[in-house]
Amino acid sequence: MKVLVAVKRVVDYNVKVRVKADNSGVDLANVKMSMNPFCEIGVEEAIRLKEKGIATEVVAVSIGPTAAQEQLRTALALGADRAILVETADELNSLAVAKLLKAVVDQEQPQLIMLGKQAIDSDNNQTGQMLAALTGYAQGTFASKVEVAGDKVNVTREIDGGLQTVALNLPAIVTTDLRLNEPRYASLPNIMKAKKKPLETVTPDSLGVSTASTVQTLKVEAPATRSAGIKVKDVAELVEKLKNEAKVI
Protein backbone atom coordinates (compact mmCIF):
# COMPACT_ATOMS: atom_id res chain seq x y z
CA MET A 1 0.00 0.00 0.00
CA LYS A 2 1.33 3.40 -0.98
CA VAL A 3 0.71 6.30 1.40
CA LEU A 4 0.92 9.91 0.20
CA VAL A 5 1.46 12.53 2.92
CA ALA A 6 1.07 16.26 2.28
CA VAL A 7 3.28 18.60 4.30
CA LYS A 8 3.25 22.39 4.46
CA ARG A 9 5.99 24.91 5.20
CA VAL A 10 4.78 27.35 7.88
CA VAL A 11 6.19 29.80 10.39
CA ASP A 12 7.47 27.83 13.38
CA TYR A 13 4.88 27.68 16.17
CA ASN A 14 7.38 29.15 18.66
CA VAL A 15 7.82 32.32 16.59
CA LYS A 16 5.81 35.44 17.35
CA VAL A 17 4.28 36.44 14.03
CA ARG A 18 4.76 40.04 12.88
CA VAL A 19 2.77 41.93 10.25
CA LYS A 20 4.59 43.88 7.53
CA ALA A 21 4.69 47.67 7.91
CA ASP A 22 2.52 48.13 4.81
CA ASN A 23 -0.08 45.58 6.09
CA SER A 24 0.33 43.51 2.93
CA GLY A 25 0.99 40.27 4.78
CA VAL A 26 3.05 38.47 7.39
CA ASP A 27 6.73 39.37 7.67
CA LEU A 28 8.73 36.23 6.82
CA ALA A 29 12.18 37.86 6.67
CA ASN A 30 14.69 35.97 8.84
CA VAL A 31 11.87 33.94 10.39
CA LYS A 32 12.30 30.28 11.32
CA MET A 33 10.11 28.04 9.16
CA SER A 34 9.07 24.50 10.04
CA MET A 35 6.77 21.70 9.01
CA ASN A 36 3.16 22.30 10.00
CA PRO A 37 2.64 20.34 13.28
CA PHE A 38 -0.51 18.61 12.03
CA CYS A 39 1.36 17.52 8.87
CA GLU A 40 4.14 16.15 11.06
CA ILE A 41 1.56 13.96 12.79
CA GLY A 42 0.46 12.71 9.36
CA VAL A 43 4.05 11.80 8.46
CA GLU A 44 4.48 9.95 11.76
CA GLU A 45 1.29 7.94 11.24
CA ALA A 46 2.31 6.97 7.70
CA ILE A 47 5.72 5.82 8.95
CA ARG A 48 4.08 3.77 11.71
CA LEU A 49 1.93 2.05 9.08
CA LYS A 50 5.10 1.19 7.17
CA GLU A 51 6.79 -0.12 10.32
CA LYS A 52 3.77 -2.41 10.89
CA GLY A 53 4.19 -3.80 7.38
CA ILE A 54 0.90 -2.30 6.18
CA ALA A 55 2.37 0.45 3.99
CA THR A 56 5.04 -0.41 1.44
CA GLU A 57 5.99 3.15 0.46
CA VAL A 58 5.56 6.60 2.01
CA VAL A 59 5.71 9.58 -0.35
CA ALA A 60 5.83 13.13 1.02
CA VAL A 61 4.56 16.00 -1.12
CA SER A 62 4.70 19.74 -0.55
CA ILE A 63 3.60 22.77 -2.51
CA GLY A 64 5.56 25.99 -2.25
CA PRO A 65 8.88 27.72 -2.97
CA THR A 66 12.24 26.00 -3.43
CA ALA A 67 12.88 26.45 0.30
CA ALA A 68 10.08 23.94 1.02
CA GLN A 69 12.62 21.23 0.17
CA GLU A 70 13.81 21.71 3.75
CA GLN A 71 10.51 20.41 5.14
CA LEU A 72 10.48 17.54 2.64
CA ARG A 73 13.99 16.55 3.73
CA THR A 74 12.69 16.55 7.29
CA ALA A 75 9.92 14.15 6.23
CA LEU A 76 12.53 11.97 4.52
CA ALA A 77 14.67 12.01 7.66
CA LEU A 78 11.66 10.91 9.71
CA GLY A 79 11.21 7.89 7.45
CA ALA A 80 9.47 8.81 4.19
CA ASP A 81 10.89 7.00 1.14
CA ARG A 82 10.80 9.82 -1.40
CA ALA A 83 9.43 13.31 -1.86
CA ILE A 84 7.77 15.51 -4.46
CA LEU A 85 7.86 19.31 -4.47
CA VAL A 86 5.32 21.21 -6.54
CA GLU A 87 7.39 24.34 -6.86
CA THR A 88 5.60 27.67 -7.03
CA ALA A 89 6.13 31.13 -5.59
CA ASP A 90 2.43 32.01 -5.83
CA GLU A 91 0.30 32.49 -2.74
CA LEU A 92 -2.17 29.64 -3.04
CA ASN A 93 -5.61 29.24 -1.54
CA SER A 94 -6.98 25.91 -0.31
CA LEU A 95 -8.73 25.05 -3.57
CA ALA A 96 -5.57 25.59 -5.64
CA VAL A 97 -3.63 23.36 -3.24
CA ALA A 98 -6.34 20.68 -3.46
CA LYS A 99 -6.24 20.78 -7.27
CA LEU A 100 -2.46 20.39 -7.28
CA LEU A 101 -2.64 17.51 -4.81
CA LYS A 102 -5.28 15.82 -6.97
CA ALA A 103 -2.91 16.00 -9.94
CA VAL A 104 -0.20 14.35 -7.84
CA VAL A 105 -2.68 11.73 -6.60
CA ASP A 106 -3.66 10.94 -10.20
CA GLN A 107 0.00 10.33 -11.04
CA GLU A 108 1.00 8.42 -7.91
CA GLN A 109 -2.24 6.43 -7.34
CA PRO A 110 -1.78 6.03 -3.56
CA GLN A 111 -4.23 3.93 -1.54
CA LEU A 112 -4.14 6.32 1.43
CA ILE A 113 -3.67 10.10 1.46
CA MET A 114 -2.90 11.81 4.76
CA LEU A 115 -3.01 15.54 5.49
CA GLY A 116 -2.92 17.64 8.63
CA LYS A 117 -6.45 18.71 9.52
CA GLN A 118 -5.35 22.36 9.21
CA ALA A 119 -2.27 24.54 8.87
CA ILE A 120 -1.31 26.77 11.77
CA ASP A 121 -0.81 29.80 9.52
CA SER A 122 -4.16 30.03 7.73
CA ASP A 123 -6.21 27.71 10.00
CA ASN A 124 -8.60 27.06 7.11
CA ASN A 125 -9.29 23.33 7.63
CA GLN A 126 -10.37 23.00 3.99
CA THR A 127 -7.78 21.26 1.83
CA GLY A 128 -8.46 17.67 2.88
CA GLN A 129 -12.19 18.02 2.36
CA MET A 130 -11.73 19.75 -1.00
CA LEU A 131 -9.32 17.04 -2.14
CA ALA A 132 -11.86 14.38 -1.19
CA ALA A 133 -14.52 16.17 -3.24
CA LEU A 134 -12.21 16.47 -6.27
CA THR A 135 -11.07 12.84 -6.17
CA GLY A 136 -14.36 11.31 -5.08
CA TYR A 137 -12.53 9.39 -2.34
CA ALA A 138 -13.97 8.64 1.09
CA GLN A 139 -12.73 10.96 3.84
CA GLY A 140 -12.12 10.70 7.57
CA THR A 141 -11.36 14.05 9.15
CA PHE A 142 -9.98 14.98 12.60
CA ALA A 143 -8.55 11.48 13.04
CA SER A 144 -7.42 10.46 16.54
CA LYS A 145 -6.98 6.77 15.58
CA VAL A 146 -6.33 5.07 12.23
CA GLU A 147 -6.54 1.32 11.64
CA VAL A 148 -6.15 -0.30 8.23
CA ALA A 149 -8.05 -3.57 7.84
CA GLY A 150 -7.92 -5.18 4.41
CA ASP A 151 -9.41 -2.86 1.83
CA LYS A 152 -10.84 -0.54 4.49
CA VAL A 153 -9.46 1.99 6.95
CA ASN A 154 -11.25 2.60 10.25
CA VAL A 155 -10.90 6.19 11.41
CA THR A 156 -11.87 7.38 14.88
CA ARG A 157 -12.88 11.03 14.58
CA GLU A 158 -13.04 13.73 17.22
CA ILE A 159 -16.43 15.44 17.02
CA ASP A 160 -18.38 17.84 19.25
CA GLY A 161 -20.26 15.02 20.97
CA GLY A 162 -17.21 12.82 21.60
CA LEU A 163 -15.76 10.21 19.23
CA GLN A 164 -17.12 8.73 16.01
CA THR A 165 -15.63 5.77 14.13
CA VAL A 166 -16.14 5.49 10.37
CA ALA A 167 -15.09 2.69 8.01
CA LEU A 168 -13.75 4.02 4.71
CA ASN A 169 -13.17 2.08 1.51
CA LEU A 170 -9.66 2.51 0.12
CA PRO A 171 -8.44 4.66 -1.52
CA ALA A 172 -9.29 7.21 1.16
CA ILE A 173 -8.26 10.56 2.58
CA VAL A 174 -7.52 11.05 6.28
CA THR A 175 -6.83 14.37 8.02
CA THR A 176 -4.92 14.09 11.29
CA ASP A 177 -5.74 15.60 14.68
CA LEU A 178 -3.40 16.33 17.60
CA ARG A 179 -4.17 13.21 19.62
CA LEU A 180 -3.43 10.73 16.83
CA ASN A 181 0.23 10.30 17.83
CA GLU A 182 3.37 12.02 19.08
CA PRO A 183 5.87 12.57 16.23
CA ARG A 184 9.40 11.26 16.65
CA TYR A 185 12.61 13.23 16.34
CA ALA A 186 14.84 12.61 13.34
CA SER A 187 18.15 11.01 14.28
CA LEU A 188 21.42 12.35 12.88
CA PRO A 189 22.09 9.21 10.77
CA ASN A 190 18.60 9.47 9.24
CA ILE A 191 19.12 13.17 8.53
CA MET A 192 22.29 12.26 6.62
CA LYS A 193 20.51 9.45 4.75
CA ALA A 194 17.67 11.83 3.81
CA LYS A 195 20.09 13.86 1.69
CA LYS A 196 20.43 10.90 -0.68
CA LYS A 197 16.75 10.02 -0.93
CA PRO A 198 14.98 11.05 -4.17
CA LEU A 199 13.24 14.43 -4.22
CA GLU A 200 11.40 15.23 -7.45
CA THR A 201 10.49 18.79 -8.41
CA VAL A 202 7.52 19.57 -10.65
CA THR A 203 5.55 22.73 -11.47
CA PRO A 204 1.82 23.49 -11.60
CA ASP A 205 2.16 23.93 -15.38
CA SER A 206 3.68 20.47 -15.80
CA LEU A 207 0.74 19.07 -13.82
CA GLY A 208 -1.72 20.98 -15.99
CA VAL A 209 -3.22 22.89 -13.07
CA SER A 210 -4.07 26.59 -12.96
CA THR A 211 -3.39 28.19 -9.58
CA ALA A 212 -5.14 31.49 -10.35
CA SER A 213 -6.92 32.66 -7.21
CA THR A 214 -10.36 34.22 -7.02
CA VAL A 215 -9.57 35.62 -3.56
CA GLN A 216 -7.40 38.68 -2.97
CA THR A 217 -5.93 39.69 0.40
CA LEU A 218 -6.59 43.38 0.89
CA LYS A 219 -5.07 43.95 4.31
CA VAL A 220 -3.45 42.05 7.16
CA GLU A 221 -3.54 43.47 10.69
CA ALA A 222 -2.24 42.28 14.04
CA PRO A 223 -4.87 41.70 16.75
CA ALA A 224 -5.70 44.74 18.87
CA THR A 225 -3.54 45.07 21.96
CA ARG A 226 -5.42 44.10 25.09
CA SER A 227 -5.50 46.68 27.84
CA ALA A 228 -3.96 45.79 31.19
CA GLY A 229 -6.21 44.38 33.88
CA ILE A 230 -6.95 46.10 37.19
CA LYS A 231 -7.50 44.97 40.76
CA VAL A 232 -10.60 45.85 42.73
CA LYS A 233 -10.78 45.96 46.52
CA ASP A 234 -14.22 44.39 46.95
CA VAL A 235 -17.28 42.94 45.22
CA ALA A 236 -19.13 46.26 45.29
CA GLU A 237 -16.39 47.95 43.25
CA LEU A 238 -16.31 45.01 40.83
CA VAL A 239 -20.05 45.25 40.23
CA GLU A 240 -19.83 49.02 39.80
CA LYS A 241 -17.11 48.72 37.14
CA LEU A 242 -18.88 45.91 35.31
CA LYS A 243 -22.06 47.98 35.24
CA ASN A 244 -20.75 51.48 34.47
CA GLU A 245 -17.42 50.95 32.67
CA ALA A 246 -17.61 47.56 30.97
CA LYS A 247 -21.42 47.83 30.63
CA VAL A 248 -21.85 44.06 30.68
CA ILE A 249 -24.48 43.97 33.43
Side-chain angles (χ1 to χ4, degrees):
M1 183 176 78
K2 182 190 292 188
V3 182
L4 185 75
V5 187
V7 301
K8 185 178 182 182
R9 176 180 171 87
V10 298
V11 176
D12 189 89
Y13 68 91
N14 288 310
V15 174
K16 184 177 181 180
V17 176
R18 300 187 305 272
V19 175
K20 292 180 180 178
D22 61 359
N23 295 108
S24 61
V26 174
D27 186 3
L28 300 180
N30 301 315
V31 171
K32 181 184 178 183
M33 307 293 285
S34 300
M35 185 190 301
N36 178 48
F38 290 100
C39 300
E40 198 171 0
I41 292 169
V43 173
E44 173 66 25
E45 192 65 21
I47 294 167
R48 292 187 184 188
L49 290 174
K50 186 181 178 184
E51 291 173 342
K52 292 176 183 176
I54 297 172
T56 54
E57 184 181 28
V58 177
V59 183
V61 58
S62 188
I63 301 168
T66 305
Q69 289 187 19
E70 177 186 352
Q71 281 64 50
L72 287 174
R73 290 293 178 194
T74 299
L76 293 172
L78 291 172
D81 298 293
R82 58 188 176 92
I84 301 170
L85 173 63
V86 182
E87 189 173 351
T88 175
D90 297 336
E91 185 176 342
L92 304 178
N93 59 25
S94 301
L95 181 57
V97 172
K99 288 179 177 178
L100 289 169
L101 288 177
K102 180 184 182 299
V104 175
V105 168
D106 290 343
Q107 287 188 359
E108 293 290 328
Q109 293 295 305
Q111 284 71 53
L112 183 62
I113 303 102
M114 304 195 78
L115 307 89
K117 72 166 185 175
Q118 66 194 80
I120 62 172
D121 52 0
S122 57
D123 274 333
N124 284 335
N125 178 26
Q126 295 175 332
T127 305
Q129 292 89 325
M130 288 179 171
L131 179 59
L134 292 172
T135 58
Y137 292 173
Q139 61 174 311
T141 55
F142 320 132
S144 60
K145 187 176 182 181
V146 175
E147 293 179 316
V148 178
D151 61 349
K152 292 183 181 293
V153 55
N154 297 321
V155 178
T156 300
R157 306 178 58 239
E158 298 198 0
I159 60 175
D160 290 342
L163 298 176
Q164 177 191 61
T165 301
V166 293
L168 312 175
N169 293 323
L170 295 174
I173 293 169
V174 174
T175 69
T176 58
D177 211 334
L178 282 174
R179 279 161 287 279
L180 178 58
N181 60 53
E182 185 175 342
R184 69 193 70 188
Y185 290 100
S187 64
L188 183 57
N190 286 338
I191 292 173
M192 301 306 293
K193 291 177 184 177
K195 296 180 180 180
K196 297 181 180 179
K197 290 185 177 180
L199 195 161
E200 179 187 0
T201 300
V202 298
T203 63
D205 290 339
S206 68
L207 294 174
V209 177
S210 172
T211 58
S213 177
T214 56
V215 179
Q216 180 183 1
T217 301
L218 300 179
K219 191 176 184 181
V220 176
E221 292 182 328
T225 303
R226 295 180 63 179
S227 57
I230 61 171
K231 290 184 178 181
V232 295
K233 60 184 179 182
D234 53 32
V235 174
E237 185 181 356
L238 173 62
V239 172
E240 188 274 329
K241 289 187 177 295
L242 290 174
K243 184 175 181 180
N244 299 321
E245 293 185 18
K247 300 187 183 302
V248 294
I249 60 173

